[in-house]
Amino acid sequence: MPLEKPVLPLPRGALRDFGGVYAVNAVVAFLFASTGPVAIILAVGARGGLAESDIASWIFGAFFVNGLISIAFSVLYRQPLVFLWTIPGAVLVGPALGHLSFAEVIGAYYATGLLMLLLGLSGWVRRAMEAVPMPIVMAMVAGVFLRFGVDLVLAFRDAFWIALPMTAAFFILSAFPRGARVIPPLIAALILGALAVWWLGSFRPPAGALLAIAHPNLYLPRFSWNAMVELVVPLAITVLVVQNAQGIAVLAANGHAAPINAITAACGAGSILTALFGAVSTCLTGPVNAVLSSSGELRRHYTGAIFFSFLATAFGLLAPFVTRLLLATPPAFIATLAGLAMLRVLQTAFTLSFRDRFSFGALLCFLVTVADVQILRIGAPFWGLVFGLATAWLLERKSQPGVAAPFREMSSGSRATPRKVPARAGWK
């Protein structure tokens, strides 16, 4: 079995290892995870025609189930290993819901989870990660994320006095790193946006009680050829090549040698479990683990991950309340929050797509994805990958040795050297 062995014996002094700096990191990371990324789920769900109960169940699975997995892995491997959900994968689902039923999409979640579980248990995950050129993958990501950037601009047309203070707060704080350490820009945008919604009287709460505890739905999957072809490979790629790669990289930069095979297996098993509740595939989160490992002693970082995961499970239990609260705000509020959360990711996607190798294949992938035209009832992101890879193979084969540059060091067997991280580090 190629899974990495956990660190034994299990810790008995987790409370002694815990401290103020790890609590603060956990709270900051939690505020990030529960704002912009949740707004993306709401935007995708609304675009795909999902009911309020479907969205609430999705949020429950994404936070509660993944929170339990995060606690287990952080304890077993004694490092911050927080699992949430793939944001690019969630964005992929939006257009798919236009021509696939939710049950068919959930069937693709199960198949994706099984694929990743097998890759993790077999130890083939590194080869799979190296098989796809990163520029073409990121071009697909840029294509599916572009609509969030466009929706951010359109929010100024639809609700100028909500979008303006939110965007202004985000950019002003982003320009002053010291201020961003105190209040992350996205949190400031959320607060000012909520105040603007209240001031304009645009908050429209639903009838009945606003506060509610989770009663998640259980879904039966439907396995269809179209959903398998359109979603399984792109979802697996977004988890392994986009999300897990980022999480593993930030952990390595901060001194942790992440167990790649075990992480992949956990993403597979987690994706199968969360699919029961309608949640998109599980992944190792990059930004959250970056914050959790940004300061303090290396050996104590895992305590921040445990505290974060307890917050996440509590948030999952309150999923119906969060869903009703946010859906009662104007659509422009959600669009602005989601768009601001995606700006840096969109910038990174464009940079990695067109900076160096495979740029022509990346361009074809981006154009096909943005066009959003189905072929054989299969969505555009899949065809973007197909045409991008075909173009790269036909016209750019000489640059093929540069495939998946971010994984070259990992696949060579190198390991990060543990180090103590400075007590104060900026938002990453």
Side-chain angles (χ1 to χ4, degrees), residues 255-303:
H256 296 282
I260 297 176
N261 292 334
I263 287 170
T264 306
C267 291
S271 297
I272 294 172
L273 289 174
T274 57
L276 283 169
F277 307 105
V280 74
S281 304
T282 296
C283 73
L284 183 73
T285 171
V288 168
N289 286 311
V291 174
L292 293 173
S293 59
S294 65
S295 58
E297 295 180 49
L298 189 76
R299 66 176 186 84
R300 298 170 66 185
H301 286 164
Y302 77 99
T303 62

Side-chain angles (χ1 to χ4, degrees), residues 42-252:
L42 290 168
V44 168
R47 186 185 291 270
L50 297 184
E52 178 187 307
S53 63
D54 295 324
I55 299 174
S57 186
W58 180 343
I59 294 174
F60 169 83
F63 278 92
F64 186 84
V65 177
N66 288 327
L68 296 179
I69 295 172
S70 301
I71 292 172
F73 268 72
S74 297
V75 170
L76 287 174
Y77 289 96
R78 218 84 89 248
Q79 56 182 291
L81 295 175
V82 172
F83 297 84
L84 288 175
W85 71 94
T86 165
I87 294 175
V91 178
L92 281 171
V93 168
L97 287 171
H99 55 275
L100 297 172
S101 68
F102 197 29
E104 289 177 297
V105 171
I106 291 171
Y109 293 164
Y110 277 96
T112 304
L114 180 60
L115 173 62
M116 292 191 295
L117 181 60
L118 292 176
L119 286 173
L121 294 177
S122 66
W124 295 342
V125 61
R126 286 177 181 161
R127 293 182 182 179
M129 293 164 79
E130 292 169 356
V132 183
M134 179 64 76
I136 294 175
V137 173
M138 297 310 292
M140 181 196 71
V141 172
V144 296
F145 278 9
L146 184 63
R147 69 197 63 192
F148 286 91
V150 173
D151 286 346
L152 171 61
V153 177
L154 295 179
F156 280 82
R157 177 198 66 189
D158 299 333
F160 180 81
W161 293 111
I162 293 176
L164 178 63
M166 295 177 70
T167 306
F170 180 86
F171 280 99
I172 290 172
L173 277 175
S174 296
F176 297 97
R178 290 185 179 180
R181 293 173 189 171
V182 179
I183 304 179
L186 200 61
I187 306 301
L190 171 68
I191 294 171
L192 281 185
L195 290 174
V197 169
W198 171 78
W199 180 262
L200 296 171
S202 301
F203 184 70
R204 299 286 185 269
L210 189 62
L211 182 62
I213 303 298
H215 292 87
N217 301 330
L218 293 177
Y219 297 91
L220 291 174
R222 179 184 172 191
F223 299 99
S224 72
W225 173 253
N226 289 337
M228 296 298 109
V229 173
E230 177 177 346
L231 291 176
V232 172
V233 171
L235 279 173
I237 288 174
T238 63
V239 172
L240 300 178
V241 182
V242 181
Q243 298 275 196
N244 284 9
Q246 185 187 50
I248 292 167
V250 298
L251 288 173

Side-chain angles (χ1 to χ4, degrees), residues 237-402:
I237 288 174
T238 63
V239 172
L240 300 178
V241 182
V242 181
Q243 298 275 196
N244 284 9
Q246 185 187 50
I248 292 167
V250 298
L251 288 173
N254 287 331
H256 296 282
I260 297 176
N261 292 334
I263 287 170
T264 306
C267 291
S271 297
I272 294 172
L273 289 174
T274 57
L276 283 169
F277 307 105
V280 74
S281 304
T282 296
C283 73
L284 183 73
T285 171
V288 168
N289 286 311
V291 174
L292 293 173
S293 59
S294 65
S295 58
E297 295 180 49
L298 189 76
R299 66 176 186 84
R300 298 170 66 185
H301 286 164
Y302 77 99
T303 62
I306 294 172
F307 185 53
F308 170 93
S309 301
F310 278 119
L311 295 175
T313 55
F315 188 83
L317 290 174
L318 293 173
F321 167 68
V322 175
T323 304
R324 293 175 188 177
L325 187 68
L326 291 177
L327 288 179
T329 61
F333 175 80
I334 300 298
T336 303
L337 194 62
L340 293 173
M342 286 294 98
L343 281 180
R344 290 294 188 187
V345 181
L346 191 58
Q347 178 193 21
T348 301
F350 275 112
T351 300
L352 293 178
S353 299
F354 305 114
R355 179 179 58 188
D356 196 1
R357 301 179 177 92
F358 305 107
S359 58
F360 194 57
L363 176 62
L364 264 293
C365 177
F366 174 76
L367 292 176
V368 172
T369 304
V370 169
D372 199 21
V373 176
Q374 295 179 47
I375 303 175
L376 301 176
R377 297 184 62 191
I378 298 171
F382 172 79
W383 294 113
L385 286 174
V386 169
F387 285 110
L389 290 170
T391 301
W393 186 82
L394 286 171
L395 303 179
E396 301 175 296
R397 276 183 291 177
K398 292 183 179 180
S399 59
Q400 196 73 15

